[in-house]
Amino acid sequence: MGGRFPVRLARVVRRLWPSIRRHRRLLVTGTVGTLFVVACRLAYPWPLRGVLEVAFKHRHSGVADLVPGNGDPVLWLGAAFLAIVLIQGMAELVQRVSFARFSIGLARDVRAEALAGIARGPSPDGDEAGDLIARIIGDTARFKSGLKGVLIRLTQNGTFFVGVAVALLLMDTLLGVVFLTGGTLILIVAGVGAARVSRVSKRLRKKEGDLASRMHASLAGDVEHLAELDDTERRAGQAEAKTTRMEGLTILAVHALLGVTVVSVLALGGDAVRSGRM
């Protein structure tokens, strides 16, 4: 299942490519906002380091030498930190709004395409109509909220990962290779977990369709379906809870691999420094 996930993902991206191109300006704007967010986070320690230099060394050195000579250097460094925070806030606002608008537009296109496909086919009966409505509304809502979160995390974590990998490769090839190997394992585990979650989500969509069909029948006055409504809703809730649990286990495995990778890099780096190789 995990081996077929990249193929299925590529097929989905190819299917959505016309809509992605239509909203690409928002995607680019959100990505640029992400780059500013990452840059600001990396710049956080520098003004604070300058304050510590002034406070504990009582002389200007390092970061503190970068501030103007007139006035209190602590005030200049504090103003620099405040500017970084404000820039990050603006960049994060641009990032989130752009990715949200991109996700909304893409979900709207997907919903319109699904409705057009239904309109071209035979008219569904009552049960099929309830199932289709549940699938369209539920799937597009999950797609919209999930895509926004994925874009935010993917661009931020991807930028950090690429930056750290390049820095480690320049410092020491072995450290860079170990870091890239750990990152590859993390991607494999995340892909396998996503494939399993997708498989369970299919059953969840089916149960949500059954629930919508029974609700539709109950509103039409079918007492028999009304009696089965609670049981159907309970099964749908169990499937959703299982999906959430599997997502949590995947995140736990990813964090464990990340921890092992970072510890391995630190251990190898420390050994390289002690041996004089780096």
Side-chain angles (χ1 to χ4, degrees):
M1 184 69 180
R4 294 195 299 269
F5 180 74
V7 178
R8 296 174 60 191
L9 180 62
R11 188 160 57 242
V12 170
V13 172
R14 187 165 57 249
R15 181 73 178 272
L16 295 176
W17 185 246
S19 296
I20 293 175
R21 290 188 60 187
R22 192 177 302 118
H23 306 288
R24 62 183 180 275
R25 182 180 61 83
L26 294 171
L27 185 62
V28 172
T29 304
T31 303
V32 172
T34 296
L35 296 178
F36 274 92
V37 170
V38 172
C40 290
R41 288 184 177 179
L42 292 176
Y44 270 168
W46 294 99
L48 300 179
R49 176 185 172 184
V51 172
L52 293 177
E53 288 177 357
V54 173
F56 290 99
K57 295 183 179 180
H58 301 290
R59 61 185 178 87
H60 295 182
S61 63
V63 178
D65 288 336
L66 300 178
V67 302
N70 58 323
D72 189 346
V74 175
L75 293 179
W76 282 108
L77 292 168
F81 184 80
L82 179 61
I84 292 172
V85 171
L86 293 177
I87 292 173
Q88 182 190 342
M90 291 296 298
E92 194 160 354
L93 175 63
V94 171
Q95 173 208 53
R96 291 183 176 274
V97 171
S98 299
F99 283 153
R101 291 177 61 190
F102 174 80
S103 303
I104 292 170
L106 201 59
R108 185 174 59 245
D109 291 348
V110 170
R111 188 183 298 118
E113 183 178 349
L115 291 174
I118 294 173
R120 288 192 296 267
S123 300
D125 58 23
D127 291 341
E128 290 180 349
D131 181 69
L132 287 174
I133 291 172
R135 285 177 180 269
I136 292 174
I137 294 177
D139 289 354
T140 53
R142 278 191 291 265
F143 174 74
K144 178 176 62 179
S145 61
L147 179 62
K148 183 181 70 173
V150 166
L151 288 174
I152 291 174
R153 290 174 177 82
L154 183 63
T155 52
Q156 287 187 358
N157 296 336
T159 302
F160 273 118
F161 178 81
V162 172
V164 171
V166 171
L168 290 176
L169 285 171
L170 293 176
M171 292 170 57
D172 186 83
T173 304
L174 179 60
L175 296 182
V177 170
V178 170
F179 187 77
L180 288 174
T181 302
T184 302
L185 291 175
I186 288 174
L187 290 176
I188 292 174
V189 170
V192 172
R196 294 183 61 191
V197 170
S198 175
R199 184 173 55 189
V200 176
S201 296
K202 288 182 179 179
R203 295 201 294 267
L204 173 60
R205 288 196 296 271
K206 183 178 179 181
K207 294 180 185 300
E208 287 179 340
D210 293 340
L211 179 60
S213 298
R214 296 186 187 281
M215 285 184 175
H216 184 269
S218 300
L219 291 175
D222 193 332
V223 181
E224 180 182 353
H225 285 86
L226 183 62
E228 299 174 353
L229 195 59
D230 289 341
D231 183 61
T232 305
E233 189 168 4
R234 179 182 57 81
R235 290 198 301 268
Q238 289 175 346
E240 185 174 2
K242 185 176 181 180
T243 302
T244 305
R245 183 168 61 252
M246 292 177 64
E247 291 174 346
L249 291 175
T250 301
I251 294 174
L252 178 61
V254 166
H255 279 79
L257 283 173
L258 178 62
V260 171
T261 301
V262 172
V263 170
S264 300
V265 170
L266 290 176
L268 291 172
D271 182 69
V273 171
R274 287 192 297 269
S275 64
R277 182 168 56 86
M278 187 175 69

